[in-house]
Amino acid sequence: MRSCCLICQQSWRQEADWLNVFYARPIPLCTICTSQLKPLDNKGCRVCGHPGVDFCSDCRQRSGSSEFTQRSLYPYNPFVKDVLTAFKYRGDAKLAEVFSRELYLLAVSNFQKWDLAACIPLTKERLRVRGFNQAELLAEHFTPAPLLERTSPPSKQSKSSAAGRRLNTEHIFSCSDSKQIKGKRILLIDDIYTTGATLHAASEALIQDGASSVKGVTAARALLKNS
Ligand SMILES: [Zn+2]
Ligand SMILES: [Zn+2]
């Protein structure tokens, strides 16, 4: 049968193999695009899964701040960057399917169980401009709850002050309902892990409000030059 690739839009002949038999709805990706999506093995850093190291430099610097651990599907290479950019900025929500099921399987295989799942929220301003939260589309298989709220970006004045920069207020989160999260194991979902500052800040907000543990999964992650 002929299929149209979700990423490159090329039409190609999809062989009827065992994958198509077992998956009721196979993700339509051509063999070229599939070959560019090489999953991370996530056997590296004990906190963030960065490949090739036991404890990466970013996580060492942050050591002791929380017990948060996270895993990612793919390295944030130029191909994955293009796909996520199309998904995020051109509003091509259909592309979420490239990641959503694999992201759920990644969470199950690394963290087995959680009580509540939550997406990293956008600021109100960014949500207004973009019209959707990309993390919510990626979390299709998780049934996420709105556990977190994000403050607005800092004003120009606070951004320019040393204190404002130190606080990095773009990463301040608060919990919408601390009763709901008390004693619960929370799983966070986001699109990209770069320095980890966003996910760690969200995790700390949840732990401070009584969550028993916080884990995270992202579709892609940046790799450090010197880890
Ligand atoms: Zn393709
Ligand atoms: Zn790490």
Side-chain angles (χ1 to χ4, degrees):
M1 74 179 165
R2 295 207 74 80
S3 298
C4 181
C5 176
L6 263 185
I7 295 177
C8 69
Q9 314 295 323
Q10 297 292 311
S11 163
W12 95 107
R13 194 179 151 70
Q14 189 173 28
E15 298 301 326
D17 62 14
W18 65 272
L19 273 176
N20 299 350
V21 175
F22 282 100
Y23 287 133
R25 190 169 53 94
I27 299 165
L29 290 181
C30 74
T31 46
I32 295 167
C33 291
T34 304
S35 72
Q36 303 253 38
L37 290 170
K38 294 199 180 71
L40 289 158
D41 71 7
N42 279 303
K43 288 186 181 129
C45 176
R46 66 187 85 151
V47 178
C48 73
H50 191 291
V53 281
D54 174 55
F55 197 17
C56 80
S57 53
D58 271 3
C59 293
R60 269 202 309 273
Q61 274 178 16
R62 209 181 279 121
S63 183
S65 62
S66 82
E67 297 289 303
F68 176 73
T69 57
Q70 84 92 40
R71 295 295 180 261
S72 304
L73 269 181
Y74 302 113
Y76 193 51
N77 58 28
F79 181 81
V80 171
K81 186 178 177 186
D82 283 351
V83 178
L84 282 171
T85 303
F87 161 54
K88 249 163 89 165
Y89 299 104
R90 297 211 299 263
D92 195 344
K94 189 105 183 86
L95 275 175
E97 282 183 39
V98 172
F99 305 101
S100 55
R101 185 172 62 198
E102 300 305 314
L103 204 56
Y104 181 75
L105 296 176
L106 179 80
V108 171
S109 68
N110 281 279
F111 306 126
Q112 290 83 47
K113 289 198 171 88
W114 54 88
D115 302 307
L116 292 167
C119 296
I120 295 293
L122 298 177
T123 58
K124 283 197 180 80
E125 174 63 13
R126 200 167 289 178
L127 185 62
R128 193 181 58 75
V129 172
R130 193 171 293 162
F132 66 97
N133 179 356
Q134 70 277 6
E136 284 175 12
L137 297 177
L138 293 172
E140 187 196 340
H141 297 277
F142 291 91
T143 331
L147 303 182
L148 288 164
E149 285 164 12
R150 196 163 181 161
T151 57
S152 299
S155 69
K156 280 197 177 103
Q157 204 176 7
S158 69
K159 233 182 198 172
S160 64
S161 76
R165 282 196 300 273
R166 254 200 320 277
L167 272 171
N168 196 4
T169 42
E170 209 170 340
H171 295 304
I172 286 182
F173 292 91
S174 59
C175 300
S176 8
D177 181 358
S178 39
K179 266 192 214 136
Q180 199 188 358
I181 62 161
K182 203 156 188 64
K184 297 282 178 12
R185 296 165 298 181
I186 315 282
L187 184 82
L188 290 174
I189 300 135
D190 205 3
D191 54 346
I192 305 163
Y193 184 97
T194 45
T195 63
T198 308
L199 278 158
H200 280 269
S203 165
E204 280 180 22
L206 290 163
I207 292 287
Q208 272 172 20
D209 268 27
S212 68
S213 70
V214 184
K215 312 286 184 199
V217 285
T218 67
R221 66 154 304 137
L223 298 181
L224 297 166
K225 285 191 180 75
N226 302 302
S227 50

